Amino acid sequence: MDTLDFLSKTLPAYGNYCLVLTTVETDSRGRPYKVHIPYSDLETMAAALPRLERNPKYTAVYHACGSYQRPYIELDEISEKTGKPKRKYRVPENTAEARAFWLDIDCGEDKAAKGKGYPTQKDAAKAVVTFAKQIGWPTPMMVSSGYGLHCYWPLEESIAADEWRATAKWLKSATTHFRLLADPSQSR
């Protein structure tokens, strides 16, 4: 499956989309900056990914998992760094639709030792397959995130953000109930 096929299966057919880039450059607290790039169509976004992934200025490139009403929301507040109005991108009040449910599963010995992930991606995949059976869902599409797994349950059609949130809340509760070590911030 190529990138456009993947995005077409997991993102709504229409709306505004967003790629998020984590920079090598850090702020005064040592945290990398996040650069948001909005797109109005999946084809252009998919075509941009290989170039952005090769750019040494970025340590990670990922896509937002829903579509948005507008490319961004402009705030009244001015950014100290750019001198321009601050913008919000991936926020609930701007979310339009989703076409999948997803989980982020962290892997690595350090995550496993803290009880926040699995030692290997193979261990994580086994746990996800078991979890899917426990909740009566099919085995999800699983993609290596480099340090873990991103798991997607694509839907036949897009659903409104409010409808998605209700099921995502249930999914998050189910991960807790069945002790699947999923990143709780990624299934909201």
Side-chain angles (χ1 to χ4, degrees), residues 32-46:
Y33 290 105
K34 299 253 191 228
V35 176
H36 293 80
I37 305 175
Y39 292 89
S40 60
D41 65 89
L42 294 175
E43 293 81 6
T44 305
M45 187 168 83

Side-chain angles (χ1 to χ4, degrees), residues 11 20 24 33 35 43 45 62 70-71 75 81 91 101 111 113 116 120 134 136 140 148 163-164 169 171 188:
L11 291 174
V20 183
V24 172
Y33 290 105
V35 176
E43 293 81 6
M45 187 168 83
Y62 58 93
R70 297 180 298 274
L75 306 175
K81 183 178 179 187
V91 291
F101 292 96
K111 291 286 186 177
K116 295 185 177 190
T120 68
Q134 290 170 318
E163 186 179 353
W164 179 89
K169 184 177 178 180
L171 180 61
R188 22 186 171 113

